[in-house]
Amino acid sequence: MESTPIHVVLADDVQLFRKGICFLLERDEELVVDYQASNGKELIAYLRTSKLPDVVLTDLNMPELNGVEATKIIHKEFPDLKIVALTSYNSKPCILNMIHLGVSCFLPKNVKPAELISAVKEVYHSGFCYSNEVLKLIHDDFMHKGKHVKCDFDKSYLTSRELEVLELICKQFNTSEIADILCISPRTVEGHRNNLLLKTESKNVVGLVTYAVRNNLLNFLN
């Protein structure tokens, strides 16, 4: 049975790079590039007037409207849309800023082609794609860099099963895989995911991951 194609919209002001990324993505039979924007303004205009893609892949440094500002608008108007930031600015402050804005994945422009394709697919299936290094970066930012985020997490607030599902989500397992691991149905997994979203007041999976990191719930980071 043929798999459902993953629809991607790409934004980058460098035409040669943009065309190259498009060619690379569409060599994979699962990926389809619906539109190429040369700046954030074109990207937002397309999203407002066309069928939403599954994943947005955007540069940060663009004219007219840069990727950071475009991400803010997208997160506000289309909170469920998954965004992959692809940029040469891979400093710690930049990574943290984009994650706080709600990007599902942060990749440097010198990433290997196979890693880019894998990340796009992972974001589509799991809602995000953060390496353990990035998760630890988020953890350190919350816990050790003077933010003094108040942690009022009550261990009884989430059930043991919800905690199990949350950790598996953060390990980037999809619904079917979580169901197999826990020996429950995919529908039950979705029920736990929805409960987690409600209890943590998160809009999407990225919010769940941030919540888990902020409250030190991820055993594999310790």
Side-chain angles (χ1 to χ4, degrees):
M1 184 176 65
E2 293 185 3
S3 59
T4 303
I6 300 171
H7 292 269
V8 180
V9 166
L10 172 65
D12 195 289
D13 62 312
V14 180
Q15 184 175 7
L16 183 61
F17 182 82
R18 189 172 69 242
K19 296 293 184 182
I21 293 297
C22 180
F23 175 76
L24 172 66
L25 294 177
E26 292 202 320
R27 288 182 63 188
D28 190 294
E29 60 184 12
E30 293 183 43
L31 304 178
V32 176
V33 178
D34 292 337
Y35 181 73
Q36 298 178 50
S38 62
N39 56 61
K41 187 176 180 180
E42 289 182 4
L43 171 61
I44 297 300
Y46 175 84
L47 295 176
R48 285 173 174 168
T49 58
S50 307
K51 182 179 179 180
L52 291 179
D54 299 306
V55 178
V56 169
L57 183 62
T58 183
D59 185 20
L60 299 189
N61 185 23
M62 297 184 291
E64 303 254 1
L65 184 70
N66 64 44
V68 178
E69 295 304 315
T71 296
K72 291 179 182 179
I73 295 171
I74 294 171
H75 188 62
K76 180 179 180 180
E77 296 188 16
F78 315 104
D80 294 329
L81 189 52
K82 303 173 183 70
I83 304 173
V84 175
L86 183 63
T87 179
S88 55
Y89 297 102
N90 60 347
S91 65
K92 177 180 177 180
C94 184
I95 293 172
L96 289 173
N97 182 46
M98 293 309 297
I99 290 174
H100 290 159
L101 290 179
V103 298
S104 300
C105 181
F106 189 100
L107 293 175
K109 278 193 170 181
N110 62 355
V111 68
K112 295 179 181 179
E115 292 175 352
L116 172 61
I117 291 173
S118 176
V120 171
K121 292 181 179 181
E122 188 65 45
V123 164
Y124 173 73
H125 290 293
S126 300
F128 76 105
C129 183
Y130 297 156
S131 65
N132 277 3
E133 289 74 19
V134 169
L135 288 173
K136 289 177 181 176
L137 198 63
I138 300 171
H139 179 273
D140 290 345
D141 181 57
F142 276 119
M143 301 300 177
H144 306 301
K145 299 303 180 183
K147 290 186 179 291
H148 303 299
V149 176
K150 182 180 179 181
C151 179
D152 54 2
F153 177 72
D154 181 350
K155 288 186 177 181
S156 65
Y157 186 54
L158 300 181
T159 68
S160 58
R161 179 63 88 191
E162 287 169 348
L163 287 170
E164 288 177 321
V165 171
L166 179 58
E167 179 154 358
L168 290 171
I169 288 173
C170 292
K171 289 181 177 179
Q172 300 177 168
F173 289 105
N174 61 37
T175 298
S176 297
E177 291 169 336
I178 294 173
D180 289 341
I181 292 171
L182 299 180
C183 299
I184 57 180
S185 71
R187 179 174 294 183
T188 300
V189 174
E190 288 299 325
H192 288 310
R193 188 195 306 270
N194 290 335
N195 286 341
L196 286 165
L197 290 170
L198 288 171
K199 286 185 175 182
T200 64
E201 299 182 355
S202 300
K203 293 182 178 180
N204 49 37
V205 171
V206 172
L208 288 180
V209 174
T210 303
Y211 178 89
V213 172
R214 184 172 69 243
N215 289 286
N216 204 29
L217 301 178
L218 304 183
N219 295 327
F220 65 95
L221 289 181
N222 298 329

